[in-house]
Every structure is written in C-alpha cells, then in structure tokens.
Amino acid sequence: MKLQRKNRLRATALGVIAVSSALALTACGSDNNSGGSTGGTGGTASGAASNVKCDGAKGQLLASGSSAQKNAMDLWIKNYMAACKDAQINYKSSSSGEGIVAFTQGTVGFAGSDSPLNAQQVADSKKVCTGGGQGIDLPMVGGPIAIGFHVEGVDSLVLDAPTIAKIFNGKITKWNDEAIAKLNPGAKLPDLAIQAFHRSEDSGTTENLTKYLSATAKADWTYAPAKKWAAPGGQAASGSAGVAAQVKQTNGAIGYFELSYASSQSIKTVDINTGASAPVKASSANASTAIAAAKIAGTGKDLALKLDYTTKADNAYPIVLVTYEIACDKGNKPATLSAVKSFLSYAASADGQKLLTDASYAPIPAEINSKVVETVNSLS
C-alpha cells in the first residue's frame, strides 16, 4: 500500500511538472507533447495556413478537454493563429470529463471529448446554448489507443483482449505468465513484475479502452465502461502524458494512451490479436480502417458515432477512439461564434485533417467528415 501511494504521488507530481513545462514552452512559442494549455501568438505554420479562412475571427477563444487530441490541437492552433493574427485560441488539455463540465458551465467556446455527450450532459448544455440550442458532437480526430509497454529485452509483443483485461485487473502479474508466453512464442519474457498504469481522472480514453474490453473480454473484464478507472490495483497517473511518462521510465510497465504519445517518446506498442489473419499494429492507417466502419448514431445535427470494437477485419486496429469537439448547434456566444466556426472549419478541412496522419492520429473518414464540415458551417 505504501509503494502504491508513493507511485501515485510520484505520478501526480510528474503530471504537474508536465503541465508546468508545457505552459512554459507554449509561452515561448515552442511545440511540445505534454499536457497543458495551447495558445499564445506566433509560431511558424507547418502546412497550408494560407488556406485558413479567418472570417472576421478576433479576440480570445477558450476551449478545454480531451488530452487525447492535445498534439493535434498544437498543430491546428499553430497554423490557425499564424493566419488569423487577430484571434487567440487557448486550448487547455485536461480530460474529457473536465472539458464537458467547462462547456456546460459556459466557460469555454467548445470542448473536446473522447466520448459523446450523454443525455444528462445534453440537458445541461441547454442552459448555456440559448434560444433552444444544445450541445452537439462533432467528430474531429480519430486514432488508435496504443497499449504501450516497457520491458527491457522485449522489442515486440502480441496480446489479445482477455490477456489485456487480466493484466489491467491484476490477474496476470508477471511478464513471463503462460498466457503472454503463448501469444509470443520464442520471445524471451522475463520473470518481472508487471506494473500497470491507468488514468487518475475521468477520461474518455479510459472509457474507450473499457468499451473495447467489455465488448471483447466479457468473462475477464466485469466492469461497466466508464470514464473513471474501476478495476482494482494498478497505479494512477494524470493525463495521457502522465501515463506515457511512467511507462517510458519504468521497466515492467504497461499503460494506454494515444499513439501520438508513444510515437513522440519512442515507446513500444502492443500488436493486438483480434482473430484476423495477423496481429494488428497500432497505426493511423489501421485505426482509419476500423473507424471507416463506424455508423452515425446521433440525431439531428449531432454526429456521435458507434464504433465496432469487436472487428476481426484484417488491418483494422480495434482499440480506437474518436475525439469530438462539442459546441452549441445554436445559441453560441456572439463574441466567440466567429472564432469557433472559423477554427473548427479549419480543423475539419482537408488541410487540417491531413496533418493528423503525420501526428500519428487518423483523419475522420471522408463521408463522415463532409457532414462535420456542413454542420460547422451551420453553427449559429
């Protein structure tokens, strides 16, 4: 218990350091891959910033939420503000839960969430979306949730859903466990304790991972999908950046975070045995294959998606998430409406979506994205 408490405190401290460092770097106009706020002025635009349509956007636009899209937001904001000199976009990378709370309290122009609004959150949004408006879900960023690991001497690893479930609920505790060895014949797996890390705060990334486990490993994962981590044991860290930092520095560690965090820190990731002809790697292309099969489940202007976590299609990575930008369909604040529409239009544009693959995310499939563009243009 003392060791667990020590690790939790250590993880929390690292999360605070990461946020503080990100804020300092942002103030200097530098790129970073840690948590924190994104904003400021200047920065060299990478990509076709000249194609950004500012449409009179000016002043400060506050937004917050999902840390999953932090690295995508960095790129979008950098390009957008290079083109739109009169506008300042400040995105606070926290968590999906915190972003939705900020949105329903009316303190941000839009929020990022890795899960769509539930019925209660929609009802709460009607208090801030005036004139009969409500919050709607706009899918903007796709990507794989990577299972990152750090086991010295092991360069590649295959796991399946039941094994992942048993690792994260504490039923498999050693790296040379028979279940892991069976999936990795020939691998030199050490007699080393597994240290599993999960998110400490409400997280859409956690909810999507647990949706996958609930759908594919019912016998071994008996917890309902939720933003709050429910399984016993393990160690908590703040944000995707905090979990990635712990995995990076801890021999024997395993955790989950968006692929962009693994790529930026050279963290090895697990290939998933889904029952397809070969284990599937966490990659932007393989996530896109899975997301392309999603169906729109929302009604009206809401574009919430239903994902198939049980896919066995070749090259379809099953542990995916879609980050939604949540905005009022109507009743947006007049002072920030132009900036909300202008910025989200750029993010959903061909140029904005093209940046995602280079940052280890997955663009939203064209058929769905065309509806996002249309809906953003109709915001009022």
PDB file of all heavy atoms in Angstrom, residues 38-64:
ATOM      1  N   THR A  38      -2.608  25.292 -24.752  1.00  0.00           N
ATOM      2  CA  THR A  38      -2.022  25.629 -26.030  1.00  0.00           C
ATOM      3  C   THR A  38      -2.550  26.988 -26.442  1.00  0.00           C
ATOM      4  O   THR A  38      -3.738  27.231 -26.401  1.00  0.00           O
ATOM      5  CB  THR A  38      -2.416  24.595 -27.085  1.00  0.00           C
ATOM      6  OG1 THR A  38      -1.960  23.329 -26.645  1.00  0.00           O
ATOM      7  CG2 THR A  38      -1.787  24.899 -28.416  1.00  0.00           C
ATOM      8  N   GLY A  39      -1.680  27.875 -26.840  1.00  0.00           N
ATOM      9  CA  GLY A  39      -2.135  29.194 -27.245  1.00  0.00           C
ATOM     10  C   GLY A  39      -0.962  30.114 -27.399  1.00  0.00           C
ATOM     11  O   GLY A  39       0.159  29.690 -27.587  1.00  0.00           O
ATOM     12  N   GLY A  40      -1.210  31.406 -27.304  1.00  0.00           N
ATOM     13  CA  GLY A  40      -0.148  32.373 -27.476  1.00  0.00           C
ATOM     14  C   GLY A  40      -0.191  32.937 -28.874  1.00  0.00           C
ATOM     15  O   GLY A  40      -1.173  32.816 -29.598  1.00  0.00           O
ATOM     16  N   THR A  41       0.903  33.578 -29.282  1.00  0.00           N
ATOM     17  CA  THR A  41       0.968  34.175 -30.602  1.00  0.00           C
ATOM     18  C   THR A  41       2.199  33.699 -31.314  1.00  0.00           C
ATOM     19  O   THR A  41       3.158  33.251 -30.712  1.00  0.00           O
ATOM     20  CB  THR A  41       1.001  35.706 -30.496  1.00  0.00           C
ATOM     21  OG1 THR A  41       2.126  36.094 -29.700  1.00  0.00           O
ATOM     22  CG2 THR A  41      -0.259  36.252 -29.855  1.00  0.00           C
ATOM     23  N   GLY A  42       2.165  33.822 -32.632  1.00  0.00           N
ATOM     24  CA  GLY A  42       3.351  33.500 -33.424  1.00  0.00           C
ATOM     25  C   GLY A  42       3.482  32.025 -33.673  1.00  0.00           C
ATOM     26  O   GLY A  42       2.578  31.235 -33.506  1.00  0.00           O
ATOM     27  N   GLY A  43       4.693  31.595 -34.052  1.00  0.00           N
ATOM     28  CA  GLY A  43       4.934  30.202 -34.413  1.00  0.00           C
ATOM     29  C   GLY A  43       4.931  30.078 -35.909  1.00  0.00           C
ATOM     30  O   GLY A  43       4.149  30.701 -36.606  1.00  0.00           O
ATOM     31  N   THR A  44       5.818  29.282 -36.444  1.00  0.00           N
ATOM     32  CA  THR A  44       5.886  29.082 -37.884  1.00  0.00           C
ATOM     33  C   THR A  44       4.856  28.055 -38.294  1.00  0.00           C
ATOM     34  O   THR A  44       4.843  26.943 -37.779  1.00  0.00           O
ATOM     35  CB  THR A  44       7.281  28.603 -38.302  1.00  0.00           C
ATOM     36  OG1 THR A  44       8.241  29.565 -37.864  1.00  0.00           O
ATOM     37  CG2 THR A  44       7.368  28.461 -39.804  1.00  0.00           C
ATOM     38  N   ALA A  45       3.989  28.385 -39.189  1.00  0.00           N
ATOM     39  CA  ALA A  45       2.933  27.471 -39.611  1.00  0.00           C
ATOM     40  C   ALA A  45       3.504  26.357 -40.453  1.00  0.00           C
ATOM     41  O   ALA A  45       4.282  26.582 -41.359  1.00  0.00           O
ATOM     42  CB  ALA A  45       1.875  28.229 -40.405  1.00  0.00           C
ATOM     43  N   SER A  46       3.141  25.122 -40.125  1.00  0.00           N
ATOM     44  CA  SER A  46       3.516  23.973 -40.940  1.00  0.00           C
ATOM     45  C   SER A  46       2.271  23.514 -41.662  1.00  0.00           C
ATOM     46  O   SER A  46       1.313  23.111 -41.036  1.00  0.00           O
ATOM     47  CB  SER A  46       4.070  22.851 -40.054  1.00  0.00           C
ATOM     48  OG  SER A  46       3.137  22.473 -39.087  1.00  0.00           O
ATOM     49  N   GLY A  47       2.237  23.607 -42.976  1.00  0.00           N
ATOM     50  CA  GLY A  47       1.033  23.253 -43.712  1.00  0.00           C
ATOM     51  C   GLY A  47       0.465  24.487 -44.378  1.00  0.00           C
ATOM     52  O   GLY A  47       1.011  25.581 -44.319  1.00  0.00           O
ATOM     53  N   ALA A  48      -0.672  24.318 -45.007  1.00  0.00           N
ATOM     54  CA  ALA A  48      -1.236  25.387 -45.829  1.00  0.00           C
ATOM     55  C   ALA A  48      -2.044  26.353 -44.978  1.00  0.00           C
ATOM     56  O   ALA A  48      -3.267  26.432 -45.070  1.00  0.00           O
ATOM     57  CB  ALA A  48      -2.097  24.793 -46.930  1.00  0.00           C
ATOM     58  N   ALA A  49      -1.344  27.106 -44.111  1.00  0.00           N
ATOM     59  CA  ALA A  49      -2.030  28.080 -43.270  1.00  0.00           C
ATOM     60  C   ALA A  49      -2.715  29.149 -44.108  1.00  0.00           C
ATOM     61  O   ALA A  49      -3.670  29.783 -43.667  1.00  0.00           O
ATOM     62  CB  ALA A  49      -1.042  28.713 -42.295  1.00  0.00           C
ATOM     63  N   SER A  50      -2.216  29.370 -45.326  1.00  0.00           N
ATOM     64  CA  SER A  50      -2.808  30.383 -46.195  1.00  0.00           C
ATOM     65  C   SER A  50      -4.237  30.032 -46.585  1.00  0.00           C
ATOM     66  O   SER A  50      -5.005  30.887 -47.018  1.00  0.00           O
ATOM     67  CB  SER A  50      -1.959  30.562 -47.453  1.00  0.00           C
ATOM     68  OG  SER A  50      -1.883  29.347 -48.178  1.00  0.00           O
ATOM     69  N   ASN A  51      -4.623  28.762 -46.441  1.00  0.00           N
ATOM     70  CA  ASN A  51      -5.972  28.336 -46.780  1.00  0.00           C
ATOM     71  C   ASN A  51      -6.955  28.494 -45.622  1.00  0.00           C
ATOM     72  O   ASN A  51      -8.126  28.168 -45.762  1.00  0.00           O
ATOM     73  CB  ASN A  51      -5.969  26.877 -47.233  1.00  0.00           C
ATOM     74  CG  ASN A  51      -5.267  26.708 -48.575  1.00  0.00           C
ATOM     75  OD1 ASN A  51      -5.228  27.633 -49.371  1.00  0.00           O
ATOM     76  ND2 ASN A  51      -4.714  25.531 -48.811  1.00  0.00           N
ATOM     77  N   VAL A  52      -6.481  28.968 -44.471  1.00  0.00           N
ATOM     78  CA  VAL A  52      -7.357  29.200 -43.335  1.00  0.00           C
ATOM     79  C   VAL A  52      -8.254  30.398 -43.622  1.00  0.00           C
ATOM     80  O   VAL A  52      -7.784  31.443 -44.073  1.00  0.00           O
ATOM     81  CB  VAL A  52      -6.539  29.460 -42.056  1.00  0.00           C
ATOM     82  CG1 VAL A  52      -7.466  29.799 -40.887  1.00  0.00           C
ATOM     83  CG2 VAL A  52      -5.693  28.253 -41.702  1.00  0.00           C
ATOM     84  N   LYS A  53      -9.549  30.258 -43.372  1.00  0.00           N
ATOM     85  CA  LYS A  53     -10.492  31.359 -43.550  1.00  0.00           C
ATOM     86  C   LYS A  53     -10.824  31.935 -42.177  1.00  0.00           C
ATOM     87  O   LYS A  53     -11.508  31.302 -41.379  1.00  0.00           O
ATOM     88  CB  LYS A  53     -11.757  30.857 -44.245  1.00  0.00           C
ATOM     89  CG  LYS A  53     -11.509  30.366 -45.665  1.00  0.00           C
ATOM     90  CD  LYS A  53     -12.795  29.888 -46.320  1.00  0.00           C
ATOM     91  CE  LYS A  53     -12.531  29.401 -47.745  1.00  0.00           C
ATOM     92  NZ  LYS A  53     -13.775  28.912 -48.386  1.00  0.00           N
ATOM     93  N   CYS A  54     -10.320  33.133 -41.893  1.00  0.00           N
ATOM     94  CA  CYS A  54     -10.496  33.734 -40.575  1.00  0.00           C
ATOM     95  C   CYS A  54     -11.921  34.248 -40.358  1.00  0.00           C
ATOM     96  O   CYS A  54     -12.424  34.239 -39.230  1.00  0.00           O
ATOM     97  CB  CYS A  54      -9.504  34.874 -40.379  1.00  0.00           C
ATOM     98  SG  CYS A  54      -7.770  34.356 -40.557  1.00  0.00           S
ATOM     99  N   ASP A  55     -12.568  34.698 -41.424  1.00  0.00           N
ATOM    100  CA  ASP A  55     -13.964  35.136 -41.367  1.00  0.00           C
ATOM    101  C   ASP A  55     -14.245  36.113 -40.228  1.00  0.00           C
ATOM    102  O   ASP A  55     -15.263  35.997 -39.529  1.00  0.00           O
ATOM    103  CB  ASP A  55     -14.897  33.920 -41.255  1.00  0.00           C
ATOM    104  CG  ASP A  55     -14.923  33.094 -42.528  1.00  0.00           C
ATOM    105  OD1 ASP A  55     -14.673  33.669 -43.612  1.00  0.00           O
ATOM    106  OD2 ASP A  55     -15.179  31.872 -42.449  1.00  0.00           O
ATOM    107  N   GLY A  56     -13.320  37.026 -40.024  1.00  0.00           N
ATOM    108  CA  GLY A  56     -13.537  38.062 -39.015  1.00  0.00           C
ATOM    109  C   GLY A  56     -13.301  37.622 -37.590  1.00  0.00           C
ATOM    110  O   GLY A  56     -13.629  38.359 -36.647  1.00  0.00           O
ATOM    111  N   ALA A  57     -12.746  36.425 -37.371  1.00  0.00           N
ATOM    112  CA  ALA A  57     -12.497  35.940 -36.017  1.00  0.00           C
ATOM    113  C   ALA A  57     -11.477  36.839 -35.320  1.00  0.00           C
ATOM    114  O   ALA A  57     -10.447  37.178 -35.883  1.00  0.00           O
ATOM    115  CB  ALA A  57     -11.978  34.509 -36.064  1.00  0.00           C
ATOM    116  N   LYS A  58     -11.792  37.212 -34.080  1.00  0.00           N
ATOM    117  CA  LYS A  58     -10.865  38.028 -33.317  1.00  0.00           C
ATOM    118  C   LYS A  58     -11.095  37.805 -31.832  1.00  0.00           C
ATOM    119  O   LYS A  58     -12.123  37.253 -31.423  1.00  0.00           O
ATOM    120  CB  LYS A  58     -11.028  39.501 -33.669  1.00  0.00           C
ATOM    121  CG  LYS A  58     -12.393  40.078 -33.379  1.00  0.00           C
ATOM    122  CD  LYS A  58     -12.465  41.542 -33.823  1.00  0.00           C
ATOM    123  CE  LYS A  58     -13.856  42.126 -33.560  1.00  0.00           C
ATOM    124  NZ  LYS A  58     -13.933  43.549 -33.964  1.00  0.00           N
ATOM    125  N   GLY A  59     -10.121  38.225 -31.042  1.00  0.00           N
ATOM    126  CA  GLY A  59     -10.237  38.062 -29.604  1.00  0.00           C
ATOM    127  C   GLY A  59      -9.815  36.678 -29.155  1.00  0.00           C
ATOM    128  O   GLY A  59      -9.263  35.885 -29.915  1.00  0.00           O
ATOM    129  N   GLN A  60     -10.098  36.380 -27.909  1.00  0.00           N
ATOM    130  CA  GLN A  60      -9.661  35.125 -27.292  1.00  0.00           C
ATOM    131  C   GLN A  60     -10.788  34.100 -27.258  1.00  0.00           C
ATOM    132  O   GLN A  60     -11.901  34.403 -26.852  1.00  0.00           O
ATOM    133  CB  GLN A  60      -9.160  35.383 -25.870  1.00  0.00           C
ATOM    134  CG  GLN A  60      -8.568  34.151 -25.185  1.00  0.00           C
ATOM    135  CD  GLN A  60      -8.082  34.455 -23.783  1.00  0.00           C
ATOM    136  OE1 GLN A  60      -8.871  34.743 -22.886  1.00  0.00           O
ATOM    137  NE2 GLN A  60      -6.775  34.410 -23.586  1.00  0.00           N
ATOM    138  N   LEU A  61     -10.466  32.890 -27.693  1.00  0.00           N
ATOM    139  CA  LEU A  61     -11.398  31.770 -27.622  1.00  0.00           C
ATOM    140  C   LEU A  61     -10.823  30.729 -26.680  1.00  0.00           C
ATOM    141  O   LEU A  61      -9.741  30.184 -26.932  1.00  0.00           O
ATOM    142  CB  LEU A  61     -11.621  31.158 -29.009  1.00  0.00           C
ATOM    143  CG  LEU A  61     -12.423  29.846 -29.063  1.00  0.00           C
ATOM    144  CD1 LEU A  61     -13.832  30.050 -28.519  1.00  0.00           C
ATOM    145  CD2 LEU A  61     -12.463  29.299 -30.488  1.00  0.00           C
ATOM    146  N   LEU A  62     -11.545  30.447 -25.600  1.00  0.00           N
ATOM    147  CA  LEU A  62     -11.122  29.434 -24.637  1.00  0.00           C
ATOM    148  C   LEU A  62     -11.793  28.107 -24.968  1.00  0.00           C
ATOM    149  O   LEU A  62     -12.971  28.052 -25.296  1.00  0.00           O
ATOM    150  CB  LEU A  62     -11.494  29.848 -23.215  1.00  0.00           C
ATOM    151  CG  LEU A  62     -10.908  31.168 -22.694  1.00  0.00           C
ATOM    152  CD1 LEU A  62     -11.411  31.439 -21.279  1.00  0.00           C
ATOM    153  CD2 LEU A  62      -9.387  31.124 -22.731  1.00  0.00           C
ATOM    154  N   ALA A  63     -11.028  27.036 -24.884  1.00  0.00           N
ATOM    155  CA  ALA A  63     -11.550  25.678 -25.084  1.00  0.00           C
ATOM    156  C   ALA A  63     -10.773  24.751 -24.161  1.00  0.00           C
ATOM    157  O   ALA A  63      -9.672  25.076 -23.716  1.00  0.00           O
ATOM    158  CB  ALA A  63     -11.393  25.250 -26.539  1.00  0.00           C
ATOM    159  N   SER A  64     -11.333  23.596 -23.861  1.00  0.00           N
ATOM    160  CA  SER A  64     -10.629  22.655 -22.984  1.00  0.00           C
ATOM    161  C   SER A  64     -11.190  21.256 -23.163  1.00  0.00           C
ATOM    162  O   SER A  64     -12.222  21.058 -23.812  1.00  0.00           O
ATOM    163  CB  SER A  64     -10.753  23.078 -21.515  1.00  0.00           C
ATOM    164  OG  SER A  64     -12.085  22.933 -21.050  1.00  0.00           O
TER     165      SER A  64
END
